[in-house]
Amino acid sequence: MSRELGKQYNPRENEDKWYSHWEKEGLFSARPSPHKPPYCIVIPPPNVTGILHMGHALNDTLQDILIRYKKMRGFEALWMPGTDHAGIATQNVVEKSLAKEGLKRQDLGREKFVERVWEWRQLYGSTIINQLKKLGCACDWGRTRFTMDQEYSLAVTEVFVRLYEKKLIYQGDYIINWCPRCQTALSDEEASHQEIEGSLYYLKYPLQDAPQEFLTVATTRPETMLGDTAVAVNPKDKRYQKYIGRYLILPLINRPLKVIADEMVDMEFGTGAVKVTPAHDPNDYNLGKKHSLEFINVMTPDGRMNEAAQKFKGLDRFKAREAVIEEMKSQGLLEKITPHTLSAGHCYRCNTIVEPYLSKQWFVRMKPLSGPAIKAVKKGKVKFHPERWTKVYLNWMENIQDWCISRQIWWGHRMPVYYCSACQAKDPKKGIIVSRTKPLKCPRCSSTELKQEEDVLDTWFSSWLWPFATFYWPFSSSCQPSAVSLQPKEKKEHEIKIKERKADLKYFYPTATLTTASEIIFFWVARMIMAGFEFTGKIPFKDIYIHGTVRDSQGKKMSKSLGNAIDPLKIISEYGTDALRFSLVFGAQGQDLYLSREKFEQGRNFANKIWNASRFVIMNLGADFTAETTKGAAYRDLDTVNRWILSRFYSTLEKVNRELEGFRFNEAANSIYSFFWHEFCDWYLELVKPQIAQKDTRAVMYEVLEKTLRLIHPFMPFISEEIWQRLKPETGISILKQEWPRLEKKFIDRKVEAEMEELFNVINSIRNMRAEMEINPASQVDIRLACNDTKLIRELEPLSSCIKNLAKVGNLGFGEKYQAGKNQYAVVSKNMQIVMPLEGFTDIQQQIEKTNAKIEKLSSEIINKEKMLGNADFTARAPKEIVENERTKLCGMKEQLKKLEAIKNGLR
RNA sequence: GGGCGAUUAGCUCAGUUGGUUAGAGCGUCUGAUUUACAUUCAGAAGGUCAGGGGUUCAACUCCUCUAUCGCCCACCA
């Protein structure tokens, strides 16, 4: 490959090329290896209908960083990819496309509709996968799983049956969250509560035995009054004592309602009297059970009023609300309406307000599952990063509610439940068969009239098995379809396959790290931990990294519906994948991420900087350099500058290691960024320019660049590969196959770093002087450095040429002491005075003022420091080093002050 | 009603267990272009670390209260 580099980095030319190279070389695949420790991440499976958004981009970049980092560190790192069938979401998408043809899913029927969804998946299911490839994800694609795969589905069935057999799954009539648009039940987590501005309606219900008297109730959902079967008051409420046990007449319906007493009624709220609608409110449901009330459902599944609503039948629930109010008003039974904000559940898929609705559903008893999952987190076997999410998790787990898992949709895992109509005819509670395979006949009555349950399972009921079901757990059933008819040879092969799969799970599971967004903790993370314990007896992962929510520059959550989303693919095509990735990671850790297009420029600029620095290095090595060219001499022969950059590299490496191990991605990115740009480029390369032909310098320059590219690689895989391929003097498949640089502490030399600090101070001060004095940038100045610390002078003298080159100095002199003199200008760098002849430069008054300001500031700092050191408590109680440190500091400051004063006098 | 987070330069944010004279990027201003990069380089201006109180020799950092903003959870009709 040619080593010539263009002037600008062009991501488009590189990305696809290197991605297919990695895939071709099999760099992403991982197999159990006796010689390597395992490291595994299972991807949070994106919806099969999904398109890559910034949330994915961030989440998957972080995982890719971990995977590439661990691969380089010598782990057998597996990133398990796949997609989620996303029941409701996918069904909605396909229904929308049907709607374009003027069809509803009912027009097709269940079987045809499900076929359509599979076709849809065939066509679009790989979109998101391809987009992850654009992002550079190092997933082991050969393992790609889908939650509706036949083998995955076997795991779902297995789990359902096991839980049912343990009596942890039950069916029953309860109030659940019903989405009238999707026409299915939702779990509590799927109904997201949002505040809405509503009203509180005060309705007057007349007494049966005294129709002129009324009891007023307050409600936010007046349409549900049609299903009222009681009115409740608090037994302690003096106002209502006399009504308890008497009857009211429900207006519009004329149903007698008993006034019941119950502690749970809040006397403060509304009128203190509550209408009770057991079929449409969870509290009222409980009251209904407790007081044996009638349950009257007044709505149809699509959110309209049913025949129980009598003349309101057919009206949409919100239209019915208006109609009911209108009617009550005309009958003089509406007392008042007051504004009221309430929080209402919204369907997390279509944002429709959910209706608390009484229906027969399937539930998982969660309490028995939560115990081990709570303990594991409390004991630190599973850790959240940042740690604060632990509390959120524990709080939810400790108050866990049963999980409604049945969905009245068609796309999903049909429940392995079969009904025997013969048995059910006798007793509806009987005749339920739960089985791994479809039973041929009823075990009780031998009837063959069996019907499978229509409902499908909640999508999360399959996702919660993801960390082990992706490894083909529970194995046993894998051979099922034709197991009986297998030939001996096939059978043997099959056994080997099973054995391999078991070894695979054993090696990679428990997985190492799970990376996800905080919204998913309840839906997925918590449930995976429970499933892990219940079905494998182990934790599913050790670390959970929760990243921030991606927001726009206004702080709004980025979403398609709000129209504020920045499309990551667009950023990729404009700025390149590496720029996108770097900018995302560069953002805050664990905090929410505010994004704007400008943020990505920073990533692009960094990529370009890497490109050009490398271009410079390659140019100077000569495009035909070899391993011989890049081989350096012994460390002891290196000069300060070269020793310094090695020291800084290894200091940076140490920091980056620590930061990555602690999931502080942004800090790691930051460390690499400032090392590369400000130390390697701004200082080192500038310093060595004059000596670039030296063999040792070339070797060090090469080595540091090559190793830095390895640090960059997990963050910016494409550009690091592209340059590395041109840089390598010997063959190698990929930078990803290189070892993560080993930390060589012997190269970290604080003394060299301190010397160089001093050099930088001097150069900065001279540059500063020149700018202040408006000296022609092209012209050289003569400088004398004055310092009574001869050791310092001895250290700096060999670096004279550096000062001359980087600060444009002609003659550079060293002197022990500064003597105030006319026509001299001087400043104080940390430990020395820098003296410049003043001839020809004007505006001395300004310099005097500046110097005065400095003196003033320094003086007050000295006073503070003296006070501090004068404090007996301080010297007595603070650690010795600190006190000593402060003393030296004070000395230095006093020196500085003296020098400044000398300068001031010199200026006069 | 509970819980969590945020509040540091004009903007976006760093600041690891308390211990230099509080940092970066963007933006602004000044200057630089045959010499790797203007997607650049050099320099400057800009902060009573939201406010009150406390602990400590020492607080941006720990505790407490208050304010503002945001998120999550909860059955208040």
Side-chain angles (χ1 to χ4, degrees):
Chain A
M1 149 180 258
S2 159
R3 277 169 170 160
E4 310 265 321
L5 274 72
K7 229 175 159 176
Q8 270 174 16
Y9 173 58
N10 184 351
R12 246 170 277 182
E13 288 170 8
N14 298 313
E15 299 184 351
D16 293 347
K17 175 182 75 188
W18 290 121
Y19 199 86
S20 37
H21 175 73
W22 296 328
E23 277 200 288
K24 205 179 80 214
E25 295 291 341
L27 301 184
F28 298 160
S29 76
R31 297 287 170 267
S33 155
H35 313 295
K36 288 172 156 191
Y39 181 86
C40 179
I41 296 178
V42 290
I43 200 169
N47 289 357
V48 68
T49 55
I51 343 169
L52 192 80
H53 56 64
M54 276 301 172
H56 295 124
L58 171 63
N59 189 217
D60 293 315
T61 295
L62 296 173
Q63 290 169 69
D64 196 46
I65 289 170
L66 287 170
I67 287 289
R68 287 177 188 266
Y69 169 66
K70 291 290 179 180
K71 276 183 191 280
M72 292 175 86
R73 284 223 103 156
F75 286 78
E76 187 67 23
L78 167 62
W79 192 1
M80 174 74 81
T83 50
D84 192 296
H85 70 281
I88 301 173
T90 303
Q91 174 157 326
N92 283 350
V93 169
V94 176
E95 281 185 305
K96 251 183 213 161
S97 95
L98 276 181
K100 281 185 195 148
E101 304 166 32
L103 290 172
K104 284 187 184 160
R105 71 174 206 256
Q106 288 80 0
D107 298 333
L108 295 184
R110 182 166 191 150
E111 222 170 286
K112 279 263 180 297
F113 178 77
V114 171
E115 261 173 45
R116 271 297 279 262
V117 183
W118 277 106
E119 280 168 29
W120 177 278
R121 178 190 116 95
Q122 235 23 60
L123 280 174
Y124 303 108
S126 51
T127 305
I128 186 88
I129 299 285
N130 291 330
Q131 290 170 335
L132 290 175
K133 291 182 179 181
K134 284 297 282 181
L135 192 63
C137 295
C139 297
D140 188 353
W141 296 112
R143 293 176 180 262
T144 307
R145 308 282 191 261
F146 179 47
T147 51
M148 285 283 281
D149 280 345
Q150 199 189 3
E151 284 170 304
Y152 197 102
S153 302
L154 291 172
V156 175
T157 303
E158 176 71 23
V159 158
F160 187 96
V161 174
R162 283 197 196 178
L163 290 176
Y164 183 80
E165 284 168 352
K166 278 182 90 173
K167 306 235 178 308
L168 293 179
I169 283 183
Y170 63 93
Q171 188 187 34
D173 290 296
Y174 294 96
I175 297 270
I176 42 80
N177 300 292
W178 182 267
C179 175
R181 204 218 61 86
C182 301
Q183 294 199 38
T184 178
L186 300 171
S187 67
D188 292 343
E189 291 68 41
E190 287 170 322
S192 70
H193 287 261
Q194 295 161 26
E195 295 230 312
I196 51 172
E197 301 297 323
S199 305
L200 197 53
Y201 303 85
Y202 290 76
L203 309 176
K204 289 152 77 173
Y205 290 3
L207 268 93
Q208 192 178 44
D209 52 13
Q212 267 62 43
E213 275 185 62
F214 302 97
L215 213 147
T216 304
V217 296
T219 179
T220 54
R221 295 188 296 148
E223 68 279 9
T224 63
M225 72 171 280
L226 306 168
D228 284 2
T229 53
V231 165
V233 298
N234 194 301
K236 289 191 200 120
D237 197 331
K238 295 214 172 75
R239 298 171 291 177
Y240 298 119
Q241 293 284 338
K242 57 183 172 186
Y243 298 114
I244 296 170
R246 289 167 70 185
Y247 283 82
L248 307 169
I249 293 294
L250 180 64
L252 314 181
I253 298 283
N254 291 324
R255 181 185 303 137
L257 303 177
K258 193 174 179 185
V259 179
I260 58 172
D262 198 286
E263 297 279 343
M264 68 149 283
V265 177
D266 179 356
M267 294 188 281
E268 306 296 314
F269 190 89
T271 60
V274 195
K275 64 190 255 330
V276 181
T277 323
H280 286 278
D281 183 276
N283 288 320
D284 295 7
Y285 173 86
N286 291 335
L287 281 177
K289 282 273 166 196
K290 197 167 156 191
H291 298 269
S292 311
L293 301 173
E294 208 185 329
F295 292 72
I296 301 175
N297 188 338
V298 294
M299 282 185 214
T300 58
D302 64 347
R304 293 168 186 281
M305 308 313 286
N306 65 17
E307 52 287 343
Q310 298 183 6
K311 64 175 170 181
F312 299 99
K313 182 187 169 193
L315 280 181
D316 172 81
R317 55 189 168 147
F318 298 118
K319 286 272 183 296
R321 179 174 299 177
E322 289 166 25
V324 163
I325 288 304
E326 205 44 53
E327 187 79 25
M328 290 293 280
K329 196 171 163 190
S330 70
Q331 293 191 20
L333 296 174
L334 179 68
E335 192 178 293
K336 60 176 175 177
I337 303 175
T338 58
H340 183 70
T341 56
L342 65 149
S343 98
H346 290 64
C347 172
Y348 86 136
R349 282 300 168 208
C350 69
N351 213 38
T352 303
I353 295 182
V354 301
E355 196 63 31
Y357 195 67
L358 183 64
S359 62
K360 182 174 276 189
Q361 302 291 344
W362 289 86
F363 299 86
V364 180
R365 233 181 277 285
M366 298 307 279
K367 261 263 141 39
L369 299 180
S370 65
I374 290 172
K375 215 166 113 190
V377 169
K378 278 191 173 163
K379 281 192 158 173
K381 296 218 183 323
V382 180
K383 277 196 190 116
F384 280 89
H385 309 268
E387 212 191 331
R388 65 171 187 273
W389 296 107
T390 309
K391 223 174 152 177
V392 175
Y393 165 89
L394 287 175
N395 183 48
W396 186 78
M397 282 296 251
E398 280 161 359
N399 298 295
I400 199 159
Q401 301 294 314
D402 285 356
W403 176 14
C404 175
I405 50 168
S406 44
R407 298 289 177 273
Q408 288 65 49
I409 56 172
W410 289 348
W411 175 240
H413 299 99
R414 196 116 166 227
M415 304 208 297
V417 175
Y418 306 85
Y419 299 102
C420 166
S421 35
C423 289
Q424 288 218 304
K426 284 180 220 152
D427 180 354
K429 282 190 184 146
K430 299 268 167 69
I432 296 172
I433 307 146
V434 171
S435 164
R436 287 176 179 82
T437 51
K438 190 177 168 152
L440 298 169
K441 53 180 189 179
C442 174
R444 181 186 295 261
C445 72
S446 299
S447 161
T448 50
E449 292 282 296
L450 301 179
K451 244 178 73 194
Q452 188 171 2
E453 167 68 64
E454 295 286 324
D455 289 356
V456 301
L457 287 159
D458 179 6
T459 294
W460 301 99
F461 192 86
S462 52
S463 327
W464 74 329
L465 313 175
W466 190 248
F468 49 88
T470 46
F471 288 96
Y472 299 109
W473 181 93
F475 315 110
S476 54
S477 19
S478 312
C479 56
Q480 205 170 36
S482 49
V484 215
S485 56
L486 280 179
Q487 298 299 310
K489 195 183 154 205
E490 288 172 339
K491 212 169 165 183
K492 181 117 199 230
E493 275 171 16
H494 192 83
E495 275 164 16
I496 292 171
K497 199 161 122 196
I498 298 289
K499 219 174 135 189
E500 277 173 5
R501 287 177 171 183
K502 281 187 175 166
D504 214 29
L505 180 77
K506 196 174 170 209
Y507 182 73
F508 287 113
Y509 186 90
T511 70
T513 310
L514 185 89
T515 305
T516 193
S518 59
E519 297 105 86
I520 309 301
I521 293 177
F522 307 142
F523 278 122
W524 195 46
V525 179
R527 288 173 182 159
M528 277 192 288
I529 300 176
M530 291 187 276
F533 277 110
E534 179 66 20
F535 304 113
T536 71
K538 291 179 184 166
I539 52 169
F541 30 71
K542 299 175 198 81
D543 293 295
I544 303 160
Y545 178 72
I546 303 290
H547 65 250
T549 308
V550 176
R551 299 177 183 281
D552 68 9
S553 52
Q554 317 299 316
K556 291 229 167 60
K557 190 169 163 179
M558 239 182 222
S559 76
K560 218 163 72 180
S561 55
L562 283 172
N564 61 350
I566 300 176
D567 179 4
L569 295 162
K570 220 166 159 185
I571 299 294
I572 287 176
S573 71
E574 278 175 45
Y575 296 131
T577 301
D578 293 322
L580 169 81
R581 291 171 56 126
F582 193 79
S583 290
L584 282 173
V585 174
F586 212 43
Q589 106 128 30
Q591 292 301 331
D592 288 353
L593 203 57
Y594 292 75
L595 285 181
S596 57
R597 306 197 108 251
E598 295 78 62
K599 272 229 150 190
F600 297 105
E601 286 176 13
Q602 203 183 346
R604 177 202 56 182
N605 294 355
F606 186 44
N608 196 54
K609 189 71 183 176
I610 297 169
W611 183 256
N612 274 291
S614 308
R615 181 168 175 248
F616 175 79
V617 171
I618 289 173
M619 251 177 197
N620 283 290
L621 287 172
D624 54 350
F625 70 86
T626 61
E628 198 47 44
T629 322
T630 60
K631 215 166 95 191
Y635 179 77
R636 62 172 187 276
D637 295 330
L638 294 182
D639 63 10
T640 309
V641 174
N642 280 310
R643 286 181 178 199
W644 173 75
I645 198 66
L646 284 171
S647 178
R648 290 307 305 148
F649 172 79
Y650 286 103
S651 299
T652 305
L653 174 63
E654 191 178 29
K655 219 165 153 253
V656 170
N657 286 347
R658 211 171 41 234
E659 288 158 345
L660 281 179
E661 294 298 332
F663 300 100
R664 296 190 300 274
F665 298 96
N666 64 319
E667 288 177 38
N670 223 315
S671 301
I672 295 170
Y673 178 90
S674 51
F675 167 72
F676 188 82
W677 198 314
H678 300 302
E679 300 191 296
F680 184 72
C681 294
D682 289 350
W683 283 114
Y684 178 72
L685 289 183
E686 293 304 322
L687 284 166
V688 298
K689 267 180 185 172
Q691 61 186 62
I692 201 125
Q694 269 177 23
K695 196 170 159 50
D696 286 353
T697 297
R698 289 172 158 215
V700 171
M701 181 171 80
Y702 174 86
E703 188 190 332
V704 173
L705 175 63
E706 196 270 338
K707 288 201 167 128
T708 307
L709 285 170
R710 299 191 206 177
L711 301 196
I712 292 170
H713 182 256
F715 298 85
M716 307 173 93
F718 295 106
I719 190 172
S720 52
E721 180 77 282
E722 174 69 21
I723 296 169
W724 186 84
Q725 292 284 349
R726 295 172 193 247
L727 203 58
K728 61 175 184 187
E730 290 168 285
T731 52
I733 290 168
S734 164
I735 190 171
L736 181 54
K737 290 288 269 186
Q738 304 307 300
E739 177 183 74
W740 186 256
R742 229 175 293 197
L743 180 59
E744 311 250 23
K745 282 200 172 173
K746 61 179 185 228
F747 289 124
I748 299 178
D749 187 335
R750 299 286 171 220
K751 203 177 136 270
V752 165
E753 293 195 7
E755 272 174 48
M756 290 297 283
E757 280 306 307
E758 200 62 55
L759 175 74
F760 299 153
N761 278 331
V762 170
I763 292 171
N764 285 339
S765 303
I766 298 172
R767 283 172 172 173
N768 193 334
M769 285 162 82
R770 297 180 56 118
E772 278 182 4
M773 301 305 287
E774 291 178 6
I775 293 167
N776 180 349
S779 70
Q780 295 191 323
V781 291
D782 292 341
I783 293 287
R784 196 161 58 83
L785 299 180
C787 178
N788 41 19
D789 182 348
T790 49
K791 195 172 133 264
L792 199 58
I793 296 284
R794 265 209 313 282
E795 282 167 4
L796 273 180
E797 260 180 326
L799 297 168
S800 306
S801 64
C802 297
I803 300 174
K804 287 183 176 177
N805 290 327
L806 295 200
K808 286 235 163 93
V809 171
N811 291 312
L812 181 66
F814 291 87
E816 276 195 12
K817 234 179 166 182
Y818 170 69
Q819 271 141 21
K822 285 242 182 280
N823 294 327
Q824 285 185 345
Y825 177 47
V827 294
V828 177
S829 101
K830 204 166 165 197
N831 294 309
M832 70 179 67
Q833 282 153 314
I834 297 163
V835 190
M836 187 168 81
L838 205 47
E839 230 166 316
F841 309 129
T842 48
D843 207 357
I844 292 172
Q845 196 49 43
Q846 197 193 348
Q847 296 314 316
I848 294 175
E849 275 162 28
K850 275 198 175 164
T851 312
N852 272 334
K854 279 184 198 162
I855 289 174
E856 219 165 281
K857 192 167 171 238
L858 192 60
S859 305
S860 78
E861 276 158 10
I862 287 175
I863 291 169
N864 283 341
K865 198 118 289 181
E866 277 174 337
K867 243 189 235 163
M868 187 182 187
L869 283 160
N871 186 339
D873 282 331
F874 172 69
T875 45
R877 298 195 194 192
K880 269 191 295 215
E881 314 89 70
I882 300 281
V883 179
E884 209 34 59
N885 214 343
E886 292 298 321
R887 283 222 174 88
T888 9
K889 257 185 263 167
L890 179 64
C891 284
M893 284 159 88
K894 281 182 170 166
E895 274 301 304
Q896 235 183 63
L897 186 69
K898 252 197 260 170
K899 286 170 189 165
L900 275 173
E901 260 154 7
I903 285 166
K904 193 176 96 182
N905 295 331
L907 281 170
R908 290 231 172 85

Short mmCIF file of all heavy atoms in Angstrom, two decimals, chain A residues 340-360:
data_model
loop_
_atom_site.label_atom_id
_atom_site.label_comp_id
_atom_site.label_asym_id
_atom_site.label_seq_id
_atom_site.Cartn_x
_atom_site.Cartn_y
_atom_site.Cartn_z
N HIS A 340 -57.51 20.52 36.76
CA HIS A 340 -56.80 19.55 37.58
C HIS A 340 -55.73 18.88 36.73
O HIS A 340 -56.02 18.38 35.66
CB HIS A 340 -57.82 18.52 38.09
CG HIS A 340 -57.24 17.50 39.00
ND1 HIS A 340 -56.81 17.80 40.27
CD2 HIS A 340 -57.00 16.18 38.83
CE1 HIS A 340 -56.34 16.70 40.84
NE2 HIS A 340 -56.43 15.71 39.98
N THR A 341 -54.50 18.93 37.24
CA THR A 341 -53.48 18.18 36.50
C THR A 341 -53.38 16.79 37.08
O THR A 341 -53.37 16.61 38.29
CB THR A 341 -52.10 18.85 36.60
OG1 THR A 341 -51.77 19.00 37.97
CG2 THR A 341 -52.06 20.19 35.92
N LEU A 342 -53.35 15.84 36.20
CA LEU A 342 -53.24 14.46 36.66
C LEU A 342 -52.22 13.74 35.81
O LEU A 342 -51.87 14.20 34.72
CB LEU A 342 -54.60 13.77 36.58
CG LEU A 342 -55.20 13.59 35.19
CD1 LEU A 342 -56.03 12.33 35.16
CD2 LEU A 342 -56.05 14.80 34.83
N SER A 343 -51.73 12.67 36.33
CA SER A 343 -50.80 11.92 35.51
C SER A 343 -51.51 10.69 34.97
O SER A 343 -52.17 9.97 35.71
CB SER A 343 -49.54 11.56 36.30
OG SER A 343 -49.62 10.27 36.80
N ALA A 344 -51.42 10.53 33.66
CA ALA A 344 -52.12 9.43 33.01
C ALA A 344 -51.11 8.57 32.27
O ALA A 344 -50.13 9.07 31.73
CB ALA A 344 -53.15 9.98 32.04
N GLY A 345 -51.37 7.28 32.26
CA GLY A 345 -50.49 6.36 31.53
C GLY A 345 -50.67 6.53 30.04
O GLY A 345 -51.78 6.74 29.54
N HIS A 346 -49.54 6.49 29.34
CA HIS A 346 -49.57 6.59 27.88
C HIS A 346 -48.87 5.36 27.31
O HIS A 346 -47.84 4.94 27.83
CB HIS A 346 -48.83 7.84 27.41
CG HIS A 346 -49.54 9.12 27.72
ND1 HIS A 346 -49.77 9.55 29.01
CD2 HIS A 346 -50.09 10.06 26.91
CE1 HIS A 346 -50.43 10.71 28.96
NE2 HIS A 346 -50.62 11.03 27.71
N CYS A 347 -49.42 4.85 26.25
CA CYS A 347 -48.83 3.69 25.59
C CYS A 347 -47.43 4.04 25.08
O CYS A 347 -47.26 5.02 24.38
CB CYS A 347 -49.69 3.24 24.42
SG CYS A 347 -48.94 1.97 23.40
N TYR A 348 -46.45 3.24 25.47
CA TYR A 348 -45.07 3.62 25.11
C TYR A 348 -44.78 3.39 23.64
O TYR A 348 -43.71 3.75 23.17
CB TYR A 348 -44.06 2.91 26.02
CG TYR A 348 -43.62 1.52 25.63
CD1 TYR A 348 -42.27 1.16 25.70
CD2 TYR A 348 -44.52 0.56 25.20
CE1 TYR A 348 -41.84 -0.11 25.36
CE2 TYR A 348 -44.10 -0.72 24.87
CZ TYR A 348 -42.78 -1.05 24.95
OH TYR A 348 -42.36 -2.30 24.61
N ARG A 349 -45.72 2.81 22.94
CA ARG A 349 -45.52 2.62 21.51
C ARG A 349 -46.25 3.65 20.67
O ARG A 349 -45.78 4.05 19.63
CB ARG A 349 -45.96 1.21 21.09
CG ARG A 349 -44.94 0.16 21.46
CD ARG A 349 -43.62 0.45 20.79
NE ARG A 349 -42.54 -0.37 21.32
CZ ARG A 349 -41.27 0.01 21.32
NH1 ARG A 349 -40.93 1.19 20.85
NH2 ARG A 349 -40.35 -0.78 21.81
N CYS A 350 -47.43 4.06 21.10
CA CYS A 350 -48.18 4.98 20.24
C CYS A 350 -48.66 6.21 21.00
O CYS A 350 -49.33 7.07 20.45
CB CYS A 350 -49.37 4.26 19.60
SG CYS A 350 -50.66 3.82 20.77
N ASN A 351 -48.30 6.30 22.27
CA ASN A 351 -48.59 7.46 23.10
C ASN A 351 -50.08 7.73 23.34
O ASN A 351 -50.46 8.79 23.80
CB ASN A 351 -47.91 8.71 22.52
CG ASN A 351 -47.51 9.66 23.62
OD1 ASN A 351 -47.08 9.22 24.69
ND2 ASN A 351 -47.67 10.95 23.41
N THR A 352 -50.93 6.77 23.02
CA THR A 352 -52.35 6.89 23.33
C THR A 352 -52.52 6.77 24.85
O THR A 352 -51.80 6.01 25.50
CB THR A 352 -53.13 5.75 22.65
OG1 THR A 352 -52.87 5.80 21.26
CG2 THR A 352 -54.61 5.85 22.91
N ILE A 353 -53.49 7.52 25.39
CA ILE A 353 -53.76 7.39 26.82
C ILE A 353 -54.34 6.00 27.08
O ILE A 353 -55.31 5.60 26.44
CB ILE A 353 -54.74 8.48 27.31
CG1 ILE A 353 -54.08 9.86 27.16
CG2 ILE A 353 -55.16 8.24 28.75
CD1 ILE A 353 -54.92 11.00 27.64
N VAL A 354 -53.70 5.29 28.01
CA VAL A 354 -54.18 3.92 28.26
C VAL A 354 -55.40 3.95 29.17
O VAL A 354 -55.60 4.89 29.93
CB VAL A 354 -53.10 3.02 28.88
CG1 VAL A 354 -51.89 2.94 27.98
CG2 VAL A 354 -52.71 3.50 30.27
N GLU A 355 -56.19 2.92 29.03
CA GLU A 355 -57.41 2.82 29.83
C GLU A 355 -57.19 1.70 30.85
O GLU A 355 -56.82 0.59 30.49
CB GLU A 355 -58.56 2.46 28.89
CG GLU A 355 -59.94 2.68 29.47
CD GLU A 355 -60.26 4.13 29.81
OE1 GLU A 355 -59.75 5.02 29.13
OE2 GLU A 355 -61.00 4.34 30.79
N PRO A 356 -57.38 2.00 32.13
CA PRO A 356 -57.38 0.89 33.09
C PRO A 356 -58.59 0.02 32.76
O PRO A 356 -59.71 0.52 32.69
CB PRO A 356 -57.55 1.59 34.45
CG PRO A 356 -57.24 3.03 34.18
CD PRO A 356 -57.61 3.29 32.77
N TYR A 357 -58.36 -1.25 32.54
CA TYR A 357 -59.38 -2.07 31.89
C TYR A 357 -59.36 -3.45 32.50
O TYR A 357 -58.30 -4.03 32.70
CB TYR A 357 -59.02 -2.11 30.40
CG TYR A 357 -60.10 -2.60 29.47
CD1 TYR A 357 -61.26 -1.87 29.27
CD2 TYR A 357 -59.92 -3.78 28.74
CE1 TYR A 357 -62.22 -2.30 28.36
CE2 TYR A 357 -60.87 -4.21 27.83
CZ TYR A 357 -62.03 -3.47 27.65
OH TYR A 357 -62.97 -3.90 26.75
N LEU A 358 -60.54 -3.93 32.78
CA LEU A 358 -60.62 -5.25 33.42
C LEU A 358 -60.62 -6.32 32.34
O LEU A 358 -61.46 -6.33 31.47
CB LEU A 358 -61.92 -5.33 34.24
CG LEU A 358 -62.13 -6.62 35.02
CD1 LEU A 358 -61.08 -6.79 36.09
CD2 LEU A 358 -63.52 -6.65 35.63
N SER A 359 -59.64 -7.20 32.39
CA SER A 359 -59.67 -8.29 31.42
C SER A 359 -58.85 -9.47 31.92
O SER A 359 -58.11 -9.37 32.88
CB SER A 359 -59.14 -7.81 30.07
OG SER A 359 -57.80 -7.40 30.20
N LYS A 360 -59.01 -10.55 31.20
CA LYS A 360 -58.33 -11.77 31.59
C LYS A 360 -56.95 -11.78 30.95
O LYS A 360 -56.82 -11.70 29.73
CB LYS A 360 -59.14 -12.99 31.13
CG LYS A 360 -58.51 -14.31 31.54
CD LYS A 360 -59.40 -15.48 31.21
CE LYS A 360 -60.44 -15.71 32.31
NZ LYS A 360 -61.19 -16.95 32.12
#
